[in-house]
Amino acid sequence: MIQFKHVHKAYKVGGREITALEPCDLQIPEGQIFGLIGHSGAGKSTLLRLINRLEEPTSGSILVKDQDITALDAAALRRFRQGVGMIFQHFNLLSSKTVADNVAMPLKLANELSKSQIRARVHQLLERVGLTDHAQKYPAQLSGGQKQRVGIARALSTNPSILLCDEATSALDPQTTGQVLQLLNEINRELNLTIVLITHEMDVIRRICDQVAVMDAGRIVEQGSVSEVFLHPQHPTTRRFVYEDEHLDEQEQLKRFAQITGCIIKLTFQGESTYSPLLGEVARHSGVDYSILNGRIDYIRDTPYGQLTLSLIGGNTAAALDAFRAADVMVEILRP
Amino acid sequence: MSSFFNNVDWYDIWLATLDTLMMLGGSMLFTVLFGLPLGVILFLTAPKQMFEQKALYGILSFFVNVLRSLPFIILLIVMIPLTLLITGTSLGVAGAIPPLVAGATPFFARLVETALREVDKGIIEATQAMGASTWQIITQALLPEARPGIIAASTVTAITLVSYTAMAGVVGAGGLGDLAIRFGYQRFQTDVMVVTVVLLLILVQLLQSLGDRLVIHFSRK
Ligand SMILES: Nc1ncnc2c1ncn2[C@@H]1O[C@H](COP(=O)(O)OP(=O)(O)OP(=O)(O)O)[C@@H](O)[C@H]1O
Ligand SMILES: [Mg+2]
């Protein structure tokens, strides 16, 4: 769907070149929600804005549906952009236009539908995002969550196949964030829309993304399915994000382990096994005693998962580990 | 009371008021006609803007600064040959409009440029991302978003023009300023002076409150 081939981006600042994106190869499959996470200045916005050519790549090519968009002329680029929606952290709605006129704007610019067709489409979109009552209000009269829903309706008006979200929920409170994420999740399913989403919260990735790329200093340092990256983070940056999400401090945890006896393991359950009564069963059969040091049961998009950190004392540790593995539970030995 | 106003010829006052209004209306029309596009071009070609053009911006900016730094009274005199060329006369309402426009356009253009700079860059970007052409960005996003600022700029410009028309009276433009100078100043007819000043004051007040009302009406923030 979206393919980066050795895309490199450098900005010229006062004669000096600043690399914002190291040569990068990337594939974003159709219909997925693709998350980009990284610290401030990592190059997330740069990467995202290359997709609709708000930024021009310094070198490399970007293919969208097998079309090299870096080769488009001005008119073709405008047509291409009509097929790519975008939403922003600060919404970027026109304060001089009503909600309905904001949503109608891309349609008016495209100039393909009649006035009555536009009106019908705007009504349909406002209904979809639950804002029909606010059609004639101005953005200043809306809450943040409502503004972002106007932004989403506006971005969807031309029936795009791609939606780009640059920190779409960063300016919202947790509850409103949840609602906006829910809406993005639904439209991704309903419209088979490919969504590329920037965030610096692992929680957002975990809740709605299929795949994730972790960025650090202009590089993609880790990439894969969310469950893979989230449950088994490799790169230090990724680990930091995951631990942040779990409100854990890696160093702190290691210090605590030093005072605990026994074999310390981390179990990862996914899908069905999450709710099975495995722990007691294994303990009975292998004769180990366990204490739970840490634990969490949650969802990755719609799949439940659980992670438990245990210390095993006595009994047959090896047999216990085998039993866990046999039940499709991923076992990591943190300290033998 | 009537003895205080015994130099005042109300019919003359009426004619002079009409002249002032015509000068104001005519010069305001052309000022907006030339100043708005000039302001947009200044904005677009300025450093770090959409169509950064260092040379063009430099030239326009210099030209605007020169016209703005020239005292209006000097501009009035310097402009006489050019005015003759354009209108065939350097006197009366027609003779006053070219120097008024020349004096107010650069001023208005700068104010428009400033108003456009106030528009959130994110909005321009969002409009670009929708696939808008440059013309569409200007007409559908920039100008509507800057409308309150441009109205405020027009108000300030119109009021400046009122004071310019009074000055234009010096070189035979007619209007209230002319009356004030010829009768009030040169013949010491204080009553005429007072009446013209009060009328100018009322005009300025009206313009200001109209402008303020429009700004409030179009500000949706
Ligand atoms: N227009 C620009 N001119 C010069 N440098 C830029 C420009 N835009 C971005 N940069 C630089 O490129 C790097 C990447 O910026 P980018 O905006 O992509 O980061 P980001 O990951 O989106 O960060 P944030 O989370 O703060 O939004 C930064 O070092 C930034 O300073
Ligand atoms: Mg960013």
Side-chain angles (χ1 to χ4, degrees), chain A residues 4-79:
Chain A
F4 276 52
K5 286 189 171 166
H6 240 66
V7 179
H8 170 228
K9 173 71 186 176
Y11 291 102
K12 268 217 175 72
V13 182
R16 279 194 314 134
E17 290 225 324
I18 294 180
T19 298
L21 187 66
E22 303 277 353
C24 155
D25 288 288
L26 180 68
Q27 293 227 16
I28 300 177
E30 184 169 351
Q32 288 207 343
I33 303 187
F34 190 96
L36 272 173
I37 190 167
H39 292 292
S40 194
K44 309 180 293 292
S45 297
T46 303
L47 195 156
L48 191 80
R49 292 155 55 84
L50 283 163
I51 297 173
N52 61 356
R53 256 181 70 187
L54 282 180
E55 302 289 354
E56 300 286 342
T58 308
S59 65
S61 56
I62 300 162
L63 275 64
V64 175
K65 292 186 205 155
D66 298 321
Q67 183 189 30
D68 185 353
I69 62 150
T70 53
L72 298 177
D73 63 21
L77 177 62
R78 288 205 300 276
R79 260 195 312 282

Side-chain angles (χ1 to χ4, degrees), chain A residues 49 92 95-96 109 138 140, chain B residues 122 125 128 131 136 140 145 220:
Chain A
R49 292 155 55 84
N92 296 353
S95 64
S96 58
L109 295 174
Y138 288 92
Chain B
E125 207 172 272
Q128 266 173 328
Q136 286 176 323
Q140 312 282 315
E145 284 297 293
R220 321 290 196 181

Side-chain angles (χ1 to χ4, degrees), chain B residues 25 28 42 66 80 82 99 115 118 135 177 210:
Chain B
M28 191 64 203
L42 279 171
V66 167
I80 288 177
L82 190 62
E118 297 287 311
W135 180 248
L210 176 70

Side-chain angles (χ1 to χ4, degrees), chain B:
Chain B
M1 190 71 191
S2 70
S3 71
F4 179 77
F5 285 119
N6 59 9
N7 292 313
V8 179
D9 180 336
W10 292 103
Y11 183 63
D12 271 357
I13 298 272
W14 167 242
L15 288 183
T17 308
L18 276 186
D19 275 357
T20 295
L21 288 177
M22 279 198 304
M23 276 191 277
L24 177 64
S27 56
M28 191 64 203
L29 177 74
F30 286 104
T31 298
V32 172
L33 221 57
F34 298 135
L36 193 60
L38 181 58
V40 171
I41 292 170
L42 279 171
F43 168 74
L44 291 176
T45 58
K48 305 207 163 183
Q49 296 294 347
M50 257 190 287
F51 291 96
E52 177 170 346
Q53 292 273 336
K54 284 211 175 82
L56 181 60
Y57 183 77
I59 293 167
L60 287 178
S61 194
F62 177 72
F63 176 72
V64 162
N65 289 347
V66 167
L67 277 181
R68 284 194 58 193
S69 59
L70 226 55
F72 183 65
I73 195 88
I74 309 283
L75 190 68
L76 269 173
I77 295 157
V78 174
M79 281 275 294
I80 288 177
L82 190 62
T83 308
L84 280 170
L85 209 66
I86 298 170
T87 63
T89 174
S90 67
L91 299 175
V93 171
I97 287 180
L100 286 173
V101 172
T105 298
F107 177 65
F108 182 64
R110 273 287 187 229
L111 293 180
V112 169
E113 185 194 358
T114 313
L116 291 173
R117 277 197 194 159
E118 297 287 311
V119 175
D120 187 349
K121 281 210 162 176
I123 285 174
I124 300 175
E125 207 172 272
T127 314
Q128 266 173 328
M130 290 174 207
S133 65
T134 307
W135 180 248
Q136 286 176 323
I137 294 172
I138 296 169
T139 57
Q140 312 282 315
L142 268 175
L143 291 178
E145 284 297 293
R147 190 162 43 198
I150 292 173
I151 294 171
S154 306
T155 309
V156 175
T157 306
I159 288 168
T160 307
L161 275 170
V162 171
S163 79
Y164 282 3
T165 63
M167 244 189 278
V170 178
V171 295
L176 289 169
D178 177 43
L179 220 57
I181 288 161
R182 273 194 296 137
F183 294 90
Y185 178 65
Q186 289 165 353
R187 299 189 204 163
F188 305 105
Q189 296 178 351
T190 316
D191 48 355
V192 178
M193 182 77 108
V194 168
V195 171
T196 54
V197 167
V198 168
L199 284 174
L200 287 172
L201 207 75
I202 292 173
L203 183 56
V204 168
Q205 287 294 336
L206 282 176
L207 286 171
Q208 187 66 56
S209 60
L210 176 70
D212 289 348
R213 255 165 223 234
L214 286 173
V215 169
I216 290 169
H217 178 74
F218 285 111
S219 297
R220 321 290 196 181
K221 292 200 172 163

